[in-house]
Amino acid sequence: MKVDYRIKSISGYTEKIGELVSMLEHTREVTLQEIAYLSQADLDALPHQSSNTIGALLMHITSIEFVHQVVSFEKRDLTEQEYAGWKIPLELGDQARKTIHHQPLDYYIEQLNQTRANTLAMLADKDDQWLLEEGKWSHGVPYNQYYLWFHVMEDEINHRGQIRAVKRLLNHSS
């Protein structure tokens, strides 16, 4: 599949949100290409005792997007139940190394796709002015909706770099 290297507004969204969707989708497309042929063993490989598996990194990408859906669209923090369900992939580390494994690639892709479908549906109901709406973190630092969704991309790109590093350690070309 040929990648389109243009950021342009996507139909079905307001202009700026359509551009944001274009960036989110390009980021995801590259991530999916990066993991396309990984085996379950690749997804579960732990190249170093303190690293994260590719599977755990994919669940982390999914969890960050879910958290940003809640903060951005629902204007609230996670409930205790939501946090309990997402704690391990959010925090990664020892617990993720112990529990996020034994899933095929399709499982991780489905998690990514389902979360993204929810994001896109919710973004379709927003307008460009919404991107500039501000909130404040608990320590008083302001943010806007645009930043929250920039951070979702930033986080995915960062972890995609880690995925590439793990693949190199597993002797996969990047």
Side-chain angles (χ1 to χ4, degrees), residues 2 12-13 17 28-29 62 76 88 90 97 106 115 119 121 125 132 139:
K2 191 181 264 189
Y13 302 91
I17 290 182
R28 181 57 49 83
E29 184 177 346
T62 302
R76 64 176 178 83
I88 292 172
L90 277 170
R97 284 187 282 279
D106 289 347
T115 303
T119 295
D125 291 334
L132 302 176
H139 57 289

Side-chain angles (χ1 to χ4, degrees), residues 90-123:
L90 277 170
E91 295 180 0
L92 294 172
D94 289 336
Q95 281 301 106
R97 284 187 282 279
K98 291 176 188 171
T99 61
I100 301 175
H101 49 73
H102 304 307
Q103 296 293 340
L105 180 59
D106 289 347
Y107 169 82
Y108 296 106
I109 291 173
E110 176 59 28
Q111 298 301 307
L112 290 163
N113 287 344
Q114 184 177 4
T115 303
R116 178 54 52 87
N118 292 339
T119 295
L120 297 178
M122 290 183 258
L123 284 171

Side-chain angles (χ1 to χ4, degrees), residues 26-170:
H26 175 78
T27 300
R28 181 57 49 83
E29 184 177 346
V30 175
T31 299
L32 292 174
Q33 287 175 352
E34 193 67 42
I35 65 171
Y37 301 104
L38 295 180
S39 68
Q40 184 178 328
D42 295 333
L43 295 165
D44 291 346
L46 195 59
H48 184 274
Q49 65 185 15
S50 65
S51 64
N52 293 295
T53 66
I54 292 172
L57 292 169
L58 294 171
M59 287 306 298
H60 178 76
I61 290 167
T62 302
S63 69
I64 289 295
E65 186 160 345
F66 175 79
V67 167
H68 283 69
Q69 288 172 359
V70 170
V71 171
S72 184
F73 300 123
E74 299 180 32
K75 299 190 185 316
R76 64 176 178 83
D77 289 326
L78 296 180
T79 64
E80 286 183 25
Q81 184 177 6
E82 288 168 333
Y83 182 69
W86 289 103
K87 180 182 192 299
I88 292 172
L90 277 170
E91 295 180 0
L92 294 172
D94 289 336
Q95 281 301 106
R97 284 187 282 279
K98 291 176 188 171
T99 61
I100 301 175
H101 49 73
H102 304 307
Q103 296 293 340
L105 180 59
D106 289 347
Y107 169 82
Y108 296 106
I109 291 173
E110 176 59 28
Q111 298 301 307
L112 290 163
N113 287 344
Q114 184 177 4
T115 303
R116 178 54 52 87
N118 292 339
T119 295
L120 297 178
M122 290 183 258
L123 284 171
D125 291 334
K126 301 297 180 188
D127 61 24
D128 291 348
Q129 190 58 37
W130 173 82
L131 289 170
L132 302 176
E133 285 181 12
E134 293 187 7
K136 283 192 180 179
W137 299 115
S138 59
H139 57 289
V141 175
Y143 65 87
N144 64 18
Q145 302 301 326
Y146 227 147
Y147 172 78
L148 292 178
W149 291 98
F150 163 76
H151 180 67
V152 169
M153 284 182 282
E154 174 185 50
D155 190 76
E156 182 166 341
I157 292 166
N158 176 52
H159 293 300
R160 187 170 64 229
Q162 291 177 304
I163 290 168
R164 285 180 176 151
V166 171
K167 283 176 61 179
R168 278 193 300 277
L169 292 170
L170 298 173

